[in-house]
Structures are given as structure tokens and as C-alpha cells.
Amino acid sequence: MTKSSLAVQLSKLKGFNDAKVSLEQYLTDPEIAAEILWFAHMQGDIDGKRVADLGAGTGLLGIGALLLGAKMVFLVEKDDAALDVARDNLGRVKFSGEVVSLNQDIMYFREDVDVVLMNPPFGTKDRYADREFLEKAAKIAPIIYSFHKLETKDFIQDFAKDRGFTPTHFWAFKFPLKASMKQHKKKVKFIEVGCWRFVKDKRKIYK
Ligand code: SAH
């Protein structure tokens, strides 16, 4: 496996059939997903690990982790139509890890994992969606990879710091939003997105 072969495999997965605006269903660009997943892999955050993909959508990030040798992956997604696509996608790739797909709100997910990978809603439709995801991730994992709108950078970093997490790496991307939703008039629109790797600060004890 190389970074580019990972991107190729991810690009072959199916996306949302009918993306729901209210749930902010956007597929992560496969090249961007491969960039972060490959980095995480090189960092030793994937191979043999228990990974949770929160707001898994059609499964891109979690499936990428399985392809890179994760021991176990939880796909947590509250939209059953999206999770159906994720299950279909799982049948199209080869991996040896275990996968658990859960059709539920991330609020009810309580497994401890080694790493959370997530591209959650950016909080454009539901103002608090992004912080709910980060809050949950901070409770269940010591390492978090998370995508957020770049304009919320200071807020996201402070929010993570308050929960005892330090940003160790940061990437800025222009996210291509394909015109998958009816109200998008232009073919491709770009939004500025940041991705962070956060690590739990061992020196402090948080409840
Ligand atoms: N992670 C996927 C999808 C990103 S879109 C990818 O990278 O391609 C965000 C996803 O979060 C959507 O599929 C949406 O249905 C899901 N979602 C939004 N709020 C949720 C919640 N509270 N619990 C579980 N899933 C949620």
C-alpha cells in the first residue's frame, strides 16, 4: 500500500446517494482523506489500533483505517441510508480487522478506543454539532484526528485545550464540495478546512 494507492481505493468507494443538508453530509475528498490517513499510519496511530469513525457517513475514513491495518473500527452514523452505503463499501474492499457499524447518534457511543478519526458536521446547520463531536472524541480516545472549518481554528484549539488535548499537527485544506446538493449552483465550491491531530495531555487529570 502507498498513499496514492490508498487514495485510488478510497476514490472507488460510493458516496452519499442523496446527501442530507440538515446532517451536513459531505464526502471527504479521497485525496485529502488519504493524506491524513497515511500520515496517521506513519505516525503509528492506525496499525493494530481500535479506531472510531464518528459521523462515518459512507465510511471513507474508517474504511481507510481498515485498509491500513486497524485492528477494529467502529463506524458510528445516525443516518441509516448513509450507513447502508458504508456497509456496501465494506463489501468492496479487503481487510483483516474487525468492523462494527452502529446506526446511532454519537451521543450514545461509549466505547474506549485508541484513536478517533472524524470529519464531523461543521456546525453550519446545527451550531453545536462540531463541539458535540469533539467533546465525545475527547472522552473516548487519547488521540484525535478531526476536520473543522478553518475559521473556527481558535475556538477549536481552545475547546480541545480545555479538555486536556494539545494539538500536535495541523493541516489546512481547500475542501472541494461537489454540487451534490440541489442548492449548490456552481459545480465545485471550495471551503477552507483545517485538520488537527490532538493528543491527550498526560500531565493533567480531567474528569
Ligand atoms: N465522515 C464522512 C462523512 C462526513 S459528513 C466522510 O468523511 O466522508 C458528517 C456525517 O455525520 C454525516 O453522514 C451525518 O449524517 C453524520 N452525523 C451528523 N450528526 C451526527 C450525530 N449526532 N451522530 C452520528 N452521526 C451524525
Side-chain angles (χ1 to χ4, degrees):
M1 181 77 78
T2 61
K3 182 162 78 171
S4 48
S5 67
L6 175 66
V8 169
Q9 289 215 52
L10 295 179
S11 68
K12 289 182 181 157
L13 299 176
K14 286 190 177 169
F16 295 100
N17 282 328
D18 191 10
K20 297 187 177 80
V21 183
S22 61
L23 291 173
E24 296 190 54
Q25 293 185 328
Y26 298 111
L27 185 71
T28 304
D29 179 70
E31 294 280 341
I32 293 174
E35 176 86 33
I36 296 302
L37 285 160
W38 191 257
F39 174 88
H41 173 59
M42 297 312 252
Q43 198 74 19
D45 291 341
I46 305 282
D47 201 17
K49 304 289 184 190
R50 276 163 64 88
V51 175
D53 179 354
L54 302 182
T58 55
L60 195 86
L61 297 174
I63 291 173
L66 286 164
L67 291 172
L68 293 172
K71 180 172 76 180
M72 182 162 192
V73 170
F74 294 93
L75 301 177
V76 189
E77 169 59 55
K78 74 174 178 186
D79 180 40
D80 55 346
L83 203 57
D84 279 348
V85 178
R87 288 177 177 139
D88 186 30
N89 279 333
L90 282 165
R92 293 163 181 267
V93 289
K94 286 203 178 76
F95 55 86
S96 59
E98 199 182 330
V99 56
V100 179
S101 56
L102 298 168
N103 187 199
Q104 65 182 37
D105 196 297
I106 57 132
M107 210 159 84
Y108 304 110
F109 181 68
R110 299 224 158 75
E111 295 280 343
D112 284 328
V113 293
D114 299 308
V115 183
V116 164
L117 300 173
M118 61 183 188
N119 178 11
F122 295 139
T124 329
K125 293 289 159 192
D126 168 2
R127 273 180 65 203
Y128 300 106
D130 53 345
R131 55 196 91 171
E132 277 165 25
F133 272 72
L134 211 44
E135 183 98 59
K136 171 58 70 175
K139 283 187 180 142
I140 61 170
I143 297 172
I144 303 168
Y145 286 85
S146 190
F147 291 91
H148 299 276
K149 263 199 164 169
L150 196 56
E151 66 192 45
T152 59
K153 187 174 186 188
D154 292 343
F155 168 78
I156 290 296
Q157 291 183 175
D158 288 347
F159 190 87
K161 271 182 202 153
D162 284 348
R163 275 140 197 88
F165 279 75
T166 304
T168 59
H169 299 81
F170 170 76
W171 299 257
F173 294 111
K174 287 206 192 318
F175 249 49
L177 291 183
K178 302 240 164 60
S180 55
M181 293 176 189
K182 289 187 189 84
Q183 82 271 28
H184 290 167
K185 294 201 176 68
K186 275 191 240 159
K187 267 205 172 140
V188 184
K189 202 178 117 187
F190 290 93
I191 51 166
E192 311 234 33
V193 173
C195 179
W196 284 258
R197 176 180 185 267
F198 290 111
V199 171
K200 191 167 194 158
D201 188 343
K202 290 193 181 70
R203 288 165 300 170
K204 296 178 193 159
I205 296 164
Y206 290 84
K207 287 186 184 148

